[in-house]
Amino acid sequence: METVVKTVRQHSLAVNNIKELKEITTAYTRVKNYVYSRYSGINSLLLLKNHRVTIRDEWIKSEFAKRWKLPARYWKTALDEAISNIKTEWTNTKRRVKLAVINNVNLSEDERKFVLYILKADSILYAILHNEEFSLPNKLQRLVIRKQYLYSLIKRYIRKYKGEIPYSYKTESFMIDNDMYDYKLIDNKLKMYIQGLKFGQRVEIELKDKNTHKGNLRILIKGNFIEIHKAKYIKVKEKLNVQAKTIGLDKGYRCLLATSENKFYGERLNDFLSKETERLNRINAERNKFWALMKKYEKEGNIKRAENIKKFNLGRIKYNRNKSKFDTQVKSYINREINRFITEDKPTEVVLEDLGFVSWNNKFPSNIKRKLSRWIKGYIKERLSYKCNLNNIEQCIVNAAYTSRVCHKCGSFGVRDNEVFTCTHCGRMDADYNASKNIEMRKYDRSICLYTPYRKVKEILEKRCSA
Ligand SMILES: [Zn+2]
């Protein structure tokens, strides 16, 4: 049976010894940031695969690990977590390089094949990046390629597409494994005991409910409270629909989802976002006024009044509370509407644009772009994918190029003006519906595949029009 990962959250009452947990978080984050800065580069590429031997055991042998002033289990977990993030970064870099190679019209088929192979062979990649000797496997020796040109291309691409070195600025969470915590039920209250800073000492935490966990947990510090995150594997549900049904989806201009069946979900999303933007603008204007007033009092030497303004009018607590209230509302609205799409439309497969590569800049005017702050985009993508997995719905990702620019009926290039798409032959139609129809049809398009370059897609579409 297939499974999907779900994060289960649990809350504590106020923790007496929160100071110790905060110290652990700070030290834990220090380990992670050291690992990021030391092992993210190309020099460490070959150390990552077996880091428990190449890094962890070395730290123990050389007594380097002592500097963390953390129980071994903590720095080891921090090391594992950071290395796993560095590996993800490398995967992303290689994916970007792969895309650039596929889209590079100056390369021959053989040359593309060569670079794509190298991206999978770390030891050869390492040698190329360090100008070291290496021998090519037999199947690569047969390829007709410009070797030196490709080596410097690979170096250039890796430099270009390697993201910034990760860094945790906020020190607010750490991971613990199964042996670093246990539970006790005392006077009908569930208490959790987490490994403290000193060997054999544990920090007591009273929990709000009586759920106990096993395995790895993430501990997040929130003021005097903690939140516990547990990744749970849950079974994928039976298919809702026995008949195959494919639906194209567009992240709509005026709604959350527009479907190729001309239905719309999450039509109030933009409303939500505009209201919040207005509220934030209003609050910021107010805060600026108080800020100026405080500065004025400070200048006049009226420290007491300045302090009062800082305390009562410029505090972050209420501000943050309202912000998180809004986030929760938007999240539950998004989830509700995605659920409604799944239960009402009963798709067995959805066709989506590759949102990772879609430039939202072209798709939305600036006022909407601002509102769709980054986390919301990421959140929609993540929830949609999660709920599809959970409900056994296939996801087909297609090339996004020009899906909102051509008419789905006749294929001509048309004009998109906010919510309306106009085709000179077929007339006016809903722009989101038109895009979702095009997205659906991309699945069956034999000449436009996911990695067909943008320019090439345009050529193909123009050729079809004139034919
Ligand atoms: Zn048309």
Side-chain angles (χ1 to χ4, degrees), residues 232-464:
K232 265 221 158 112
Y233 296 87
I234 51 177
K235 271 190 202 159
V236 167
K237 291 179 188 166
E238 292 290 314
K239 279 196 168 85
L240 286 168
N241 199 344
V242 274
Q243 277 174 324
K245 186 177 181 192
T246 298
I247 296 181
L249 279 186
D250 182 38
K251 166 65 200 77
Y253 167 81
R254 60 177 176 84
C255 61
L256 176 67
L257 301 172
T259 79
S260 54
E261 305 201 315
N262 208 1
K263 285 183 75 176
F264 302 92
Y265 294 93
E267 295 184 90
R268 279 166 54 217
L269 182 63
N270 285 348
D271 259 6
F272 261 118
L273 300 173
S274 324
K275 267 190 205 136
E276 177 66 1
T277 314
E278 274 165 35
R279 194 185 69 83
L280 287 178
N281 287 346
R282 209 170 53 234
I283 286 173
N284 283 333
E286 244 166 59
R287 286 173 78 89
N288 285 343
K289 251 188 264 163
F290 281 119
W291 187 260
L293 199 59
M294 183 184 82
K295 287 281 159 209
K296 182 178 155 252
Y297 285 140
E298 269 177 2
K299 230 181 194 168
E300 293 168 1
N302 201 338
I303 301 301
K304 182 125 185 46
R305 289 190 105 161
E307 289 283 309
N308 275 343
I309 287 180
K310 197 173 170 191
K311 195 166 158 197
F312 295 114
N313 302 104
L314 290 169
R316 301 292 306 184
I317 293 174
K318 192 173 150 209
Y319 183 84
N320 288 342
R321 202 193 300 132
N322 285 332
K323 168 106 181 56
S324 92
K325 198 169 130 199
F326 164 77
D327 290 355
T328 313
Q329 271 176 357
V330 172
K331 280 181 186 171
S332 82
Y333 181 68
I334 290 172
N335 280 301
R336 215 161 53 229
E337 289 298 286
I338 296 176
N339 285 343
R340 199 160 69 82
F341 159 64
I342 289 173
T343 47
E344 286 183 15
D345 282 15
K346 300 186 177 57
T348 53
E349 180 183 32
V350 294
V351 187
L352 307 154
E353 293 176 312
D354 187 352
L355 289 176
F357 294 109
V358 174
S359 161
W360 291 59
N361 292 342
N362 297 329
K363 206 163 165 174
F364 300 105
S366 58
N367 60 334
I368 300 280
K369 243 175 8 204
R370 263 197 305 275
K371 288 176 208 156
L372 280 168
S373 61
R374 218 177 170 170
W375 76 260
I376 292 185
K377 278 190 275 179
Y379 188 75
I380 295 171
K381 191 177 159 192
E382 186 260 315
R383 292 322 280 170
L384 196 56
S385 155
Y386 169 73
K387 286 180 189 295
C388 284
N389 287 335
L390 181 65
N391 290 289
N392 221 334
I393 297 166
E394 304 276 334
Q395 295 167 78
C396 173
I397 310 289
V398 296
N399 194 321
Y402 296 98
T403 47
S404 57
R405 308 273 289 280
V406 292
C407 170
H408 75 276
K409 289 184 188 159
C410 69
S412 314
F413 281 81
V415 182
R416 178 175 193 160
D417 183 17
N418 291 343
E419 295 162 27
V420 180
F421 178 86
T422 311
C423 168
T424 39
H425 310 284
C426 312
R428 288 154 61 89
M429 56 194 99
D430 186 284
D432 291 335
Y433 168 62
N434 181 55
S436 65
K437 271 309 243 195
N438 281 322
I439 291 167
E440 186 198 4
M441 293 191 298
R442 276 285 153 87
K443 173 176 146 70
Y444 308 100
D445 199 315
R446 288 183 175 267
S447 12
I448 303 175
C449 58
L450 183 54
Y451 293 119
T452 309
Y454 202 73
R455 239 178 309 154
K456 181 98 186 161
V457 174
K458 193 175 183 192
E459 256 171 51
I460 294 169
L461 293 171
E462 278 169 348
K463 218 182 251 168
R464 279 183 197 161

Side-chain angles (χ1 to χ4, degrees), residues 34-77:
Y34 173 81
V35 175
Y36 288 145
S37 67
R38 175 72 180 73
Y39 299 106
S40 287
I42 57 170
N43 291 339
S44 308
L45 181 58
L46 299 180
L47 297 178
L48 302 175
K49 198 174 164 203
N50 202 357
H51 76 274
R52 292 201 168 165
V53 174
T54 53
I55 302 173
R56 192 189 68 181
D57 293 354
E58 277 307 306
W59 281 12
I60 297 169
K61 223 168 74 190
S62 64
E63 300 202 332
F64 176 82
K66 280 191 175 163
R67 64 146 61 187
W68 304 122
K69 297 193 171 65
L70 264 176
R73 281 189 175 277
Y74 273 121
W75 68 254
K76 285 177 183 171
T77 318

Side-chain angles (χ1 to χ4, degrees), residues 105-169:
V105 286
N106 296 319
L107 299 178
S108 70
E109 240 357 89
D110 270 8
E111 289 174 332
R112 274 191 203 121
K113 211 181 274 174
F114 178 82
V115 182
L116 296 186
Y117 181 92
I118 301 295
L119 287 175
K120 287 186 209 149
D122 277 350
S123 56
I124 301 182
L125 178 62
Y126 181 90
I128 291 176
L129 294 174
H130 290 83
N131 303 316
E132 284 173 7
E133 296 284 321
F134 62 92
S135 53
L136 280 176
N138 286 339
K139 65 183 218 183
L140 291 192
Q141 284 177 9
R142 284 197 294 271
L143 299 175
V144 183
I145 53 167
R146 296 165 285 174
K147 265 190 198 157
Q148 289 312 318
Y149 172 76
L150 288 186
Y151 295 168
S152 58
L153 181 83
I154 290 171
K155 281 193 247 176
R156 209 166 61 234
Y157 273 170
I158 292 281
R159 256 203 312 275
K160 183 170 174 193
Y161 292 108
K162 200 147 172 12
E164 275 179 36
I165 293 173
Y167 189 90
S168 291
Y169 292 95

